[in-house]
Amino acid sequence: MTNTEDFRRYSYSADAAYALKAFDVSRGSQAPAYAPGTKKSFRVRENSTKKSMAQLLYEQKIGFVKIVKIMVTAALSVAMLFGVLYNYVQKNELTHEISNLETQLSIAQSENTRINSELDALVSMSMIDQYAVEKLGMTKMRSNQIMYIDVSQYKQKRLAAAQLLSQSTQKEQNHKEVSSK
């Protein structure tokens, strides 16, 4: 279902006369006519009252205080501006220093990795075997070179020696006690 306003919208969109009516510049009766006013002239009037010397000095002091306040405010503003700029400069320098140190750290870490890999290559078993055979003239052990030791006999001999030693020290202590009495 269509609405009649839909047809009006489509019919006015192609009508050039309708578009020109939107730019009508004629004034209606509701708008007042523009009438330029007369320019006001400015006159300089002289102040007929005279101020005393005390009033003049008081006004000078007030003016001087205002000037000092303005100068102090300006000086503080300039000092704060330079403080902020100085902080930015310090921050920038520290940032550059940090980035340089981080770069040096990454270089040192890569160097450490390289040196560790070289060390691992030098300490490998095949490199140790090769060094022992070529430089030191060593050979691999053969089965006939292996000799087994019975540890139980060694322990018995060691225990017997320790008992003899302890007996001899007890005899000496007893002998010292008897001779001292």
Side-chain angles (χ1 to χ4, degrees):
M1 199 159 167
T2 59
N3 193 353
T4 55
E5 291 176 12
D6 292 340
F7 292 113
R8 270 192 249 148
R9 181 178 48 175
Y10 294 121
S11 65
Y12 291 135
S13 64
D15 190 9
Y18 177 74
L20 287 176
K21 287 181 183 176
F23 297 104
D24 190 10
V25 292
S26 64
R27 290 188 181 267
S29 61
Q30 67 275 12
Y34 175 72
T38 60
K39 289 186 177 179
K40 293 183 179 180
S41 63
F42 293 105
R43 291 187 299 167
V44 177
R45 288 184 283 166
E46 200 172 311
N47 192 358
S48 59
T49 60
K50 296 198 176 203
K51 296 182 181 180
S52 68
M53 186 58 92
Q55 287 177 332
L56 289 175
L57 287 176
Y58 178 73
E59 288 180 2
Q60 279 182 343
K61 285 180 184 178
I62 290 174
F64 182 74
V65 168
K66 286 181 181 179
I67 289 174
V68 168
K69 286 180 181 179
I70 291 171
M71 296 297 282
V72 167
T73 305
L76 287 175
S77 299
V78 169
M80 288 187 340
L81 175 70
F82 281 119
V84 169
L85 289 176
Y86 180 75
N87 283 337
Y88 281 131
V89 167
Q90 291 295 324
K91 180 181 172 185
N92 193 16
E93 287 177 1
L94 290 175
T95 303
H96 284 296
E97 186 176 338
I98 288 170
S99 68
N100 288 338
L101 290 175
E102 286 176 347
T103 304
Q104 290 176 359
L105 177 65
S106 66
I107 291 171
Q109 287 174 341
S110 64
E111 182 72 14
N112 186 25
T113 304
R114 184 188 65 81
I115 290 173
N116 281 335
S117 65
E118 283 182 20
L119 179 64
D120 290 341
L122 291 175
V123 178
S124 68
M125 290 304 289
S126 62
M127 292 298 292
I128 291 172
D129 287 343
Q130 181 182 2
Y131 182 78
V133 170
E134 292 178 4
K135 301 284 183 185
L136 302 176
M138 300 175 128
T139 59
K140 294 212 179 217
M141 188 177 351
R142 295 184 299 266
S143 62
N144 63 355
Q145 294 175 326
I146 298 174
M147 187 167 47
Y148 295 99
I149 300 173
D150 188 13
V151 179
S152 63
Q153 291 175 359
Y154 174 75
K155 284 183 180 178
Q156 288 175 356
K157 289 179 184 178
R158 180 101 175 155
L159 256 169
Q163 286 176 353
L164 283 174
L165 183 64
S166 67
Q167 288 174 359
S168 66
T169 54
Q170 283 180 353
K171 285 181 184 178
E172 287 179 15
Q173 286 178 354
N174 291 337
H175 186 280
K176 286 184 184 178
E177 289 176 6
V178 171
S179 61
S180 64
K181 290 184 183 181

